[in-house]
């Protein structure tokens, strides 16, 4: 005897379709940490394969990874600054200007009192930029984009004036500071030496992984440790605390947050102060890390905007923006090491990665996406096969081109805070 179950019944099988017919079953969602681990493993495999097939060991060399960490750090800190601001509903185009203010503050205090004082001064100078942006957008309701552009221009003008006034008599150069003391670097010994031996063995995949790991634990400064630590700290504060819940509610629905007793203005100002401080510390990374001469005019060079792109690529999540920052830093690091050849090899690696994505889409029966991925992979491979190296003129813009390509690829899956950039006035819900 068979029994029929109404599709409106609470006892119906959730996988059943209308009229009791079996419907499509939903697979269990992969945890975020597992998805991130799979992506990391896939990228390492692609880089190892590309390195083996092209003969370019620089793709996974420890020196390349060390450069990646150093170059990704200011982008990561700028991205974290953008995350704090936009989760509270404030678009922060002014990250670039806040980083510029941070570079000058780090050089000024670092020259007089050492790198730790420079780090604090950079955070204070950046926070001042964040407070000014909050005053314009939160209190006076100025358009967020207009205010951010003004902050960028103001940062350039103020630092140029201060540099001419204070640094020029000391360094005889109004565009640069005198040499500034740097943070010391540390390596995890004897692990670093052991990984170096594995890397020197030139074994497929094993040496590649050893080179990547050695680059992550060699020549690390306290500023790098701080930047990496700020990623889980930001996650815990924004997603695992009452303060973070209230702050994020201001970015999703400030009227509803106000109706529940949240002081929206206070949380937006707090977020902007933190955003500016993080961007300022990102500027300090360009001054206080080893290998940097000190403050120099135009040394930020668009990293604030790339940090904003990394935050968007990461879908306004700390772990996602960490991956985006690493990607942009890696593209910049390759540019410094046999740039024309190594960056050209990324075309081959990108083609392999996209083919893997196409295979996954085929298994999921997403025919159109799979076909588009295969066409894209074919275009990249044809470009790689038809050229020997990239023009030198394009190398300086490699991180920016990677930014555009990544954002175009990830645009359909982005979900910004609902009230991001919306002008809020106290009492609107009354």
């Amino acid at each position: 005897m068979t029994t029929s179950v109404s599709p409106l019944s609470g006892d119906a099988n959730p996988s059943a379709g209308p009229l009791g017919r079996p419907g499509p079953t939903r697979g269990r969602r992969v945890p975020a940490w597992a998805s991130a681990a799979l992506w990391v493993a896939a990228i390492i495999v692609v880089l190892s394969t590309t390195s083996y097939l092209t003969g370019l060991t620089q793709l996974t060399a420890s020196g390349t990874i060390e450069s990646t960490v150093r170059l990704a750090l200011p982008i990561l800190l700028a991205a974290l600054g953008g995350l704090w601001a936009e989760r509270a509903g404030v678009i922060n185009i002014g990250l670039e200007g806040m980083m510029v203010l941070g570079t000058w503050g780090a050089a000024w205090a670092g020259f007089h009192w050492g790198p730790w004082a420079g780090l604090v001064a950079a955070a204070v100078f950046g926070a001042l930029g964040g407070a000014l942006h909050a005053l314009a957008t939160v209190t006076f309701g100025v358009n967020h984009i207009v205010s951010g552009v003004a902050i960028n221009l103001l940062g350039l003008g103020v630092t140029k004036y201060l540099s001419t006034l204070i640094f020029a008599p000391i360094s005889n150069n109004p565009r640069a500071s005198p040499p500034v003391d740097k943070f010391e670097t540390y390596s995890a010994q004897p692990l670093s030496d052991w990984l170096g031996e594995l890397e020197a063995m030139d074994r497929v995949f094993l040496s590649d992984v050893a080179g990547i790991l050695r680059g992550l634990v060699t020549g690390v400064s306290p500023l790098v440790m701080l930047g990496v630590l700020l990623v889980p700290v930001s996650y815990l504060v924004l997603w695992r605390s009452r303060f973070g819940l209230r702050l994020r509610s201001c970015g999703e629905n400030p009227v509803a947050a106000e109706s529940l007793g949240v002081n929206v203005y206070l949380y937006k100002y707090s977020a902007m102060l933190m955003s500016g401080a993080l961007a300022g510390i990102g500027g300090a990374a360009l001054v206080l890390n080893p290998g940097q001469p000190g403050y120099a005019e135009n040394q930020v060079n668009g990293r604030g905007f790339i940090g904003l792109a990394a935050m968007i690529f990461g879908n306004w999540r700390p772990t996602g923006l960490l991956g985006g920052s690493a990607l942009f830093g890696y593209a910049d690091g390759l540019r410094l090491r046999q740039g024309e050849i190594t960056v050209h090899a990324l075309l081959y690696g990108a083609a392999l990665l996209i083919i893997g994505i196409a295979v996954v889409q085929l298994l999921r029966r997403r025919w159109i996406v799979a076909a588009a991925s295969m066409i894209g992979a074919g275009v990249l491979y044809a470009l790689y096969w038809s050229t020997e190296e990239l023009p030198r003129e394009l190398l300086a813009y490699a991180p920016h081109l990677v930014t555009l390509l990544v954002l175009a690829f990830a645009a359909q899956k982005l979900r910004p805070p609902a009230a991001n950039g919306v002008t809020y006035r106290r009492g609107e819900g009354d």
Side-chain angles (χ1 to χ4, degrees):
M1 179 176 179
T2 60
T3 59
S4 61
V5 180
S6 169
L8 299 179
S9 171
D11 296 330
N13 186 343
S15 64
L19 303 179
R21 297 185 184 125
T25 58
R26 293 183 179 179
R28 298 179 64 181
R29 186 175 180 181
V30 178
W33 64 267
S35 178
L38 288 174
W39 272 106
V40 170
I43 290 173
I44 291 176
V45 170
V46 167
L47 288 177
S48 177
T49 304
T50 305
S51 175
Y52 173 72
L53 294 177
T54 61
L56 295 174
T57 58
Q58 292 292 343
L59 292 174
T60 56
S62 56
T64 301
I65 305 304
E66 284 186 53
S67 298
T68 296
V69 172
R70 176 173 54 85
L71 294 169
L73 180 62
I75 297 173
L76 171 65
L77 291 165
L80 283 173
L83 174 72
W84 276 79
E86 301 209 3
R87 278 297 175 179
V90 181
I91 298 176
N92 194 0
I93 298 293
L95 289 169
E96 181 86 0
M98 297 171 196
M99 288 185 73
V100 172
L101 291 171
T103 58
W104 193 91
W108 170 70
F111 174 73
H112 290 287
W113 302 292
W116 286 107
L119 181 63
V120 174
V124 171
F125 272 73
L128 289 175
L132 185 59
H133 189 44
L135 179 67
T137 56
V138 178
T139 302
F140 295 109
V142 176
N143 181 278
H144 295 205
I145 305 299
V146 173
S147 176
V149 172
I151 294 294
N152 292 334
L153 296 175
L154 184 65
L156 291 172
V158 168
T159 53
K160 186 172 184 178
Y161 170 76
L162 291 175
S163 181
T164 303
L165 181 67
I166 297 177
F167 288 154
I170 305 173
S171 63
N172 295 321
N173 185 356
R175 296 185 176 183
S177 70
V180 178
D181 291 339
K182 315 296 181 185
F183 282 110
E184 295 183 358
T185 59
Y186 305 90
S187 300
Q189 297 294 1
L191 178 62
S192 179
D193 291 340
W194 179 67
L195 290 172
E197 294 174 0
L198 291 180
E199 183 183 6
M201 293 171 65
D202 201 19
R203 301 284 182 85
V204 178
F205 189 73
L206 176 63
S207 295
D208 296 314
V209 173
I212 293 172
L213 293 178
R214 183 169 185 258
L216 295 175
V217 299
T218 304
V220 179
S221 72
L223 196 49
V224 172
M225 301 177 195
L226 175 64
V228 174
L229 180 64
L230 284 171
V231 175
V233 167
S234 295
Y235 172 76
L236 292 174
V237 172
L238 292 177
W239 273 269
R240 291 293 184 267
S241 70
R242 291 183 178 180
F243 173 83
L245 176 62
R246 292 169 179 171
L247 186 147
R248 287 187 294 116
S249 70
C250 296
E252 295 293 341
N253 193 330
V255 175
E258 181 190 16
S259 69
L260 295 174
V262 175
N263 189 335
V264 177
Y265 280 16
L266 175 62
Y267 279 90
K268 285 181 178 286
Y269 265 89
S270 299
M272 282 310 306
L273 288 173
M274 189 63 181
S275 175
L278 288 169
I281 295 173
L286 298 171
V287 175
L288 301 176
N289 265 338
Q292 305 293 339
Y295 166 81
E297 192 173 317
N298 298 323
Q299 72 188 126
V300 176
N301 194 27
R303 288 180 174 86
F305 298 111
I306 297 178
L308 193 64
M311 178 207 65
I312 296 172
F313 166 74
N315 208 8
W316 289 266
R317 303 282 295 192
T319 51
L321 65 84
L322 176 62
S325 302
L327 175 62
F328 303 140
Y330 181 73
D332 206 11
L334 279 184
R335 178 179 61 86
L336 302 177
R337 304 176 69 86
Q338 299 180 359
E340 298 91 338
I341 302 175
T342 52
V343 176
H344 177 257
L346 281 185
L347 297 174
Y348 190 94
L352 292 178
L353 182 62
I354 295 175
I355 289 174
I357 294 173
V359 171
V360 173
Q361 299 304 323
L362 284 173
L363 295 176
R364 294 180 177 179
R365 298 184 178 181
R366 296 177 180 175
W367 313 116
I368 296 177
V369 177
S373 299
M374 291 300 295
I375 293 173
V379 171
L380 287 176
Y381 181 76
L383 184 60
Y384 170 80
W385 184 79
S386 61
T387 57
E388 294 292 335
E389 58 185 37
L390 289 181
R392 181 178 295 273
E393 293 78 11
L394 291 178
L395 289 181
Y397 300 99
H400 305 81
L401 294 175
V402 170
T403 301
L404 293 175
L405 291 174
V406 166
L407 289 181
F409 177 76
Q412 295 181 350
K413 297 183 179 181
L414 299 179
R415 194 271 180 194
N420 196 20
V422 176
T423 301
Y424 163 79
R425 285 288 178 268
R426 182 176 290 153
E428 284 183 344
D430 297 341

